[in-house]
Amino acid sequence: MNEEMQKIISKVNLSWPKDYIIRYLYVNLAPFFKRDLKYFLASDEEKYRQYQQGFINRGLDIVCSTISDYFVNLFNSFGITAIKIAANSAKIPLFAIVVEGDHGWYFIDPLNDLFNNQYGLKTSEFGSIPHYKTLNNNFPNLISLPSDYIDEMDQSLGIDKSLSSYFEKLHTVMSNRNMAAAIYKMPTNDKSAMFERKMEFANEQLINLGNVKGPFERIRLYLFLEKVMFFKTEKKNLKIYLDKFYEVPRAHIEYFNPYDKSIILFEEQQVQDQFVLKKIS
C-alpha cells in the first residue's frame, strides 16, 4: 500500500453507513491496481500451475484472487464482513467477494469493475445479481442494490460517473456513418480518412481520461472505445492487440481498408504521465 492509497483510506468517515464505506474504497482505490502481466501473459498450463500452488501476492499487480484478498482484509479492518468466493466452477475460477452491507449480503467484483472505476464509468459488478450459476446456488439470498441508491451514494461521496452518459451520446453520433461524416465534413465512402479522424479525436479527447495505466487496462480502454466510436463495418476491419515486443507491452490499433487493401496502424506511447497515439504506418 502506498502513501496515496493510505490518504484515501484515512478519509473514510467511521460514521458512514457500511455501503458507503464499501463503495468509496471500491471505486477510489481501483486506479492503483493493474492486472499482473506475469500471470495474464502466461500459458494456460502455467496459469493453472499458479492457481494450484496459490497465487503469489505481487502487491498492486493483481489477479482476481489477490485483489479480492486485499479488499476483504480492508473491509474487515472497518468491521465490515466480507468473504472471498469462487464465483464459478471453471478450471481456474473467478474469485470475487460477497459483502454484508446495510441491507443484506451482495456481490462485488473488483477485478471486472477495475477498468470502469479507473475510467469513470458506472460499475456493472457492484451490488448486481451475479450471472454465475455456481455463486447463485451457493448464495441464493444475495440482494441487488438499486441503481438510484448507487447514484445517491456516488453523489454523496463525490464520485463522478458522468462519463457513462457522455459516451452514450458519443456512440449515437460516432456509430452512425452519415452523422459522423457530417461532423467531419467528409464523404461517407472515405474509409481510411474516417478512421484517422476518429483516432485523432480519441487521441485528443479520450485516451487520457480517468486514471488507466496498466497495459491490459489500456487494451480494455480501446476495446471500449471500439464499441463507442465505430460502426459495424468498421469493427470488422479493426484489430486491437497488445504488442509484447516491448518490455512494457503497448496497445496497437490496426485498421484494414478492404477497398484499397491499405493498413493503418497506430501505436500507443507514453510520454511522462500522458498517453499518445502515434501513427506508424
Side-chain angles (χ1 to χ4, degrees):
M1 187 184 303
N2 61 38
E3 185 177 345
E4 291 179 87
M5 295 173 75
Q6 290 175 337
K7 286 181 180 178
I8 289 171
I9 294 168
S10 70
K11 292 180 181 178
V12 169
N13 187 329
L14 297 179
S15 68
W16 287 349
K18 288 190 289 186
D19 289 342
Y20 281 60
I21 296 175
I22 296 166
R23 180 70 176 174
Y24 170 83
L25 296 171
Y26 184 79
V27 173
N28 287 305
L29 292 176
F32 298 98
F33 296 100
K34 61 181 185 292
R35 281 172 168 79
D36 187 347
L37 281 174
K38 291 182 180 179
Y39 175 78
F40 286 98
L41 291 179
S43 65
D44 290 342
E45 292 77 13
E46 174 60 19
K47 289 177 181 176
Y48 187 61
R49 186 191 68 80
Q50 291 188 38
Y51 162 64
Q52 287 184 307
Q53 293 184 350
F55 292 111
I56 298 172
N57 186 331
R58 296 193 177 106
L60 301 179
D61 291 343
I62 51 88
V63 297
C64 59
S65 179
T66 57
I67 193 172
S68 294
D69 285 335
Y70 175 84
F71 276 106
V72 164
N73 292 332
L74 182 59
F75 295 148
N76 288 343
S77 73
F78 283 98
I80 297 170
T81 305
I83 305 171
K84 181 176 81 171
I85 46 87
N88 56 19
S89 56
K91 184 177 180 180
I92 305 176
L94 167 73
F95 289 97
I97 301 169
V98 290
V99 61
E100 186 178 24
D102 297 294
H103 308 286
W105 287 85
Y106 55 87
F107 171 78
I108 59 175
D109 184 347
L111 180 70
N112 283 323
D113 258 340
L114 192 66
F115 168 73
N116 284 29
N117 281 326
Q118 292 177 345
Y119 202 48
L121 304 174
K122 289 183 181 293
T123 51
S124 60
E125 307 293 334
F126 185 93
S128 60
I129 297 299
H131 52 274
Y132 306 105
K133 185 177 179 181
T134 299
L135 180 55
N136 287 327
N137 288 340
N138 291 336
F139 296 90
N141 297 318
L142 294 177
I143 65 170
S144 174
L145 298 182
S147 59
D148 289 348
Y149 177 53
I150 294 175
D151 290 343
E152 175 188 306
M153 285 194 287
D154 287 350
Q155 185 175 2
S156 296
L157 294 168
I159 295 171
D160 184 4
K161 293 292 183 182
S162 60
L163 280 180
S164 290
S165 299
Y166 166 72
F167 281 115
E168 288 175 6
K169 296 174 183 176
L170 184 64
H171 174 69
T172 300
V173 176
M174 288 294 192
S175 62
N176 183 299
R177 187 187 307 275
N178 294 323
M179 292 178 69
I183 287 175
Y184 291 128
K185 296 180 174 61
M186 61 190 307
T188 59
N189 61 354
D190 196 340
K191 314 296 183 184
S192 296
M194 176 69 74
F195 171 73
E196 292 202 50
R197 292 299 298 273
K198 289 184 177 182
M199 293 298 286
E200 288 173 9
F201 177 77
N203 195 25
E204 295 169 1
Q205 302 293 334
L206 306 178
I207 68 171
N208 286 294
L209 295 176
N211 196 345
V212 185
K213 293 181 179 177
F216 280 94
E217 286 67 50
R218 298 302 301 176
I219 284 290
R220 177 68 183 84
L221 186 155
Y222 287 107
L223 291 173
F224 170 75
L225 293 181
E226 178 188 28
K227 294 179 181 179
V228 171
M229 297 183 63
F230 297 98
F231 23 87
K232 189 175 181 180
T233 53
E234 287 178 318
K235 291 177 185 177
K236 287 182 180 179
N237 299 302
L238 270 179
K239 182 180 178 182
I240 299 171
Y241 60 95
L242 199 61
D243 190 334
K244 293 175 278 189
F245 172 79
Y246 301 97
E247 182 179 354
V248 178
R250 300 176 182 179
H252 280 63
I253 303 92
E254 182 180 304
Y255 176 73
F256 172 70
N257 188 326
Y259 297 97
D260 63 13
K261 310 302 180 184
S262 63
I263 293 176
I264 303 172
L265 179 62
F266 281 86
E267 175 185 272
E268 184 184 72
Q269 300 179 1
Q270 188 171 5
V271 180
Q272 296 180 344
D273 292 332
Q274 294 290 300
F275 292 94
V276 295
L277 285 168
K278 182 178 179 181
K279 184 180 177 181
I280 57 178
S281 71

